[in-house]
Amino acid sequence: MKNLVIVESPSKAKTIQRYLGDDFVVTSCMGHIRDLPGNDQAIDIANDFLPVYEITEDKKKLVSELKKMAASAEYVWLASDEDREGEAIAWHLFEALNLRAERTKRIVFHEITKPAILKAVANPRSIDQALVDAQQARRVLDRLVGYGLSPVLWRKVQRNLSAGRVQSVAVRLVVEREQEIIRFVSTSQFKVTAEFDVDGRTLTAELPKRFDTEEEARAFLEQCRGAAYSIANLETKPAKRSPAAPFTTSTLQQEASRKLGMSLQRTMKVAQDLYEAGLITYMRTDSTSLSEIAIGAARAEVTSSYGEQYSTPRTYATKVASAQEAHEAIRPTDFARKTAGDTDAHRRLYDLVWKRAIASQMADARLERTTATIAVSTVADTLQATGEVLLFDGFLAVYMESTDDDQQDEDNAKMLPPLRVGQSLDLRFMQAQERYARPPARYTEASLVKKLEELGIGRPSTYAPTISTIQARNYVVKEDRDGRQREVRVFTLANDAIARRVDVENTGAERSKLFPTDIGTVVTEFLTKNFDDILDYQFTANVEKQFDEIANGNKGWQDMIRAFYGPFKESIERVAEHAERQSGERLIGVDPASGKNVYVRLGRYGPLAQIGNADDEDKRQKGLPSTLSINTITLEQALELFRFPRNIGTFEDAEMQVKLGRFGPYIEHAGAFYSLAKTDDPFTIEQDRGIEVIVAKRQATLERTIKVFEEDPTVKVLKGRWGPYIVVGKQNVRIPKDTDASALTLKECLELAAQQAPAPKKAASKKTDAEKPAAKKTAAKKTVAKKTAAKKTAAKKTVARKTTKKG
């Protein structure tokens, strides 16, 4: 074999193989092949923080195969991604495969097209050790922080908790936003609007000021009784709208969330598929620039499809000062390809990328904005109406950027009817409606990414994993929540008569918003109280800048770690020794029946309400359902919990008990559990409705059951969303294609289950970040790797070597 090319994924290998021909064999390393072991021996602190890497269990066979292939190749081309993570993968391959520098070439490309691949092969380089060091510094720092803080949380808050340099700051943002909302006091004002008839067309105007009280609003309408209305002034100004820059990683994630409803992880997975298929450029970037070739290709497409007047080639300055991850924004590799992708998700995301990139190279939209001032004969105040006319659509012919504001835009300009100064207007009605101030908006996944980027926290490759991690740790939940109804007062002046009515509006409804859990809140409060420097936004952003300095070759990674670790170690020891345990305990009142205090706090198994003090022998406790929080629960809500379980009667000679679970209310009957619908009130549901719930659940189960086996009731053949499948105990088993599910025998089901049984775990799974607690370690001091242990380990494991290769 003359040339062996190693890329990160099989799909990328398949695409590149087509471009390179028979002189090259392209294979995949399937991502990272080495990682820090899952214990506190991974970093040799005594040896200047030298990381001790090991080949992950699932990659040992692959690495062995790659070694054989590399040994038979004349040259090995390391073609992992062009960011720091990709550079680190190339370095790990070089080390683990025992490659020789004179036979190893490093190539990078930001799109998988034939010209880009051939250009990369024609311009190889060596491994850029500065980029490797930057990634290594991040990995080591995150491991030290994670393995330092997590054991402290085990001792001071609750077992099995974890913390991390970036994840804990992200949780803090969500917690602080929730606290802002809790503290927010909504006040109301009265907004005055008027609707006029202009030759059969509608003109809507608004009073620029608002009234604080009902009396002031009504008094204004009283003054307008019998008034004459006329156009006092017309002001027309030209306006324009400019297109947004091409996508970076974060703006793609934000826009895919807003326009397509995709999660961050889903967006990145689909984008990676498009990249590996050669359809878009590299998807992890914080640059908004386009190459001259791309700008030329976009101009040709715009001119061809829309006309010369729509083309305005542009360059965009990257807002992120430390943009290092790649050299170009996310764009199509071929602007003439307007649609692409194998699935609906791929086609929709490609369409978004294509439109954004094309629009960025198009002309501004030109508008004419008009403001009409309306005089009221009986008062000095004037009303205003605004509208606009689109003179030239420009980039709007292709694309319009969305925003994170989920409130209704009441200022959307509309077209105005023909007007002239001095023109009299006929009032249809004038209305003063009560409007409440809204609290700050909760974060969505997309708006949290935007905030992290604004603060300089994290990088394109870390946004999605960070936000997935804080949800997986149950520090933050993404969910919908129903709003509540409230009354609003409305006064209407029509035909010189004023009427008052009370309307009802829904407020506080949330869709796919991020909420902190009680454990997330308590952990954040503990960390900010005891490790305020680690949780400080500026500190986290400054760390990212230091990583950038390392990547640019201006700082040594071990110098950075050394400066951080000394004070950090002292803080860990101080907090482990002196800090008090934290449970978020809150006294919310007194139980009128017993006269005892009522508390809410975080318990061993989650948040709970408690009647009585901690040392009371007869204290009573109830777990909080997920709909209640220790930060907002009222005394009345807490006392209601102690009404459960409720016995609501019997059915088939067995009691039915309504209980509150962590994930909602349910009925327990004869050892089975039946969830209540959202419309069922667990406090009032009675026997008849309980029976309906049980019977309906049984019927639904029966309808999805294809086959059961009397000789082994743990084995069932069921209907699933994607077709029939087998359940054997807790194992779900796929049924081979073209198999008649209803004809399966018990023996065949058990054989299929045995064939698909998961392999026994040989080792603890590796994590991509170091934000998990050390196994069986509860003392903070044990996070420091002992020198002797590191030496013993080094004999068996690959120790990271300081290479001298420079890019």
Side-chain angles (χ1 to χ4, degrees), residues 774-790:
K776 298 183 181 179
K777 301 292 182 182
T778 56
K781 294 181 181 179
K782 292 185 179 179
T783 61
V784 182
K786 295 180 180 179
K787 185 175 181 180
T788 54

Side-chain angles (χ1 to χ4, degrees), residues 187-304:
T187 57
S188 67
Q189 290 183 313
F190 287 82
K191 176 183 177 180
V192 176
T193 57
E195 189 173 292
F196 300 94
D197 185 299
V198 182
D199 298 328
R201 295 180 62 181
T202 298
L203 174 66
T204 302
E206 180 181 328
L207 185 70
K209 70 178 183 181
R210 300 196 178 194
F211 298 107
D212 292 330
T213 66
E214 176 179 332
E215 291 73 23
E216 290 175 322
R218 185 174 187 119
F220 179 81
L221 295 190
E222 290 283 359
Q223 289 178 296
C224 293
R225 274 183 170 176
Y229 305 88
S230 61
I231 301 296
N233 185 49
L234 286 172
E235 185 178 7
T236 300
K237 292 182 179 179
K240 70 175 184 178
R241 293 182 188 172
S242 299
F247 282 131
T248 62
T249 299
S250 69
T251 54
L252 175 64
Q253 290 170 339
Q254 292 165 46
E255 197 74 336
S257 173
R258 293 184 293 234
K259 275 185 160 55
L260 308 180
M262 285 187 179
S263 68
L264 303 189
Q265 290 281 59
R266 178 66 173 154
T267 297
M268 295 310 292
K269 175 64 175 68
V270 174
Q272 182 159 337
D273 291 344
L274 293 173
Y275 164 66
E276 292 180 352
L279 299 173
I280 65 172
T281 53
Y282 191 53
M283 66 287 166
R284 282 191 276 273
T285 175
D286 45 18
S287 170
T288 54
S289 65
L290 295 178
S291 67
E292 289 298 323
I293 294 175
I295 291 174
R299 178 173 185 169
E301 177 60 31
V302 172
T303 302
S304 171

Side-chain angles (χ1 to χ4, degrees), residues 312-347:
T312 301
R314 304 169 186 264
T315 58
Y316 293 86
T318 299
K319 293 181 180 179
V320 181
S322 58
Q324 299 286 334
E325 299 294 333
H327 305 295
E328 207 174 348
I330 303 170
R331 62 165 175 81
T333 55
D334 181 0
F335 281 100
R337 186 191 292 117
K338 296 183 180 179
T339 60
D342 296 331
T343 69
D344 181 61
H346 292 88
R347 285 187 289 271

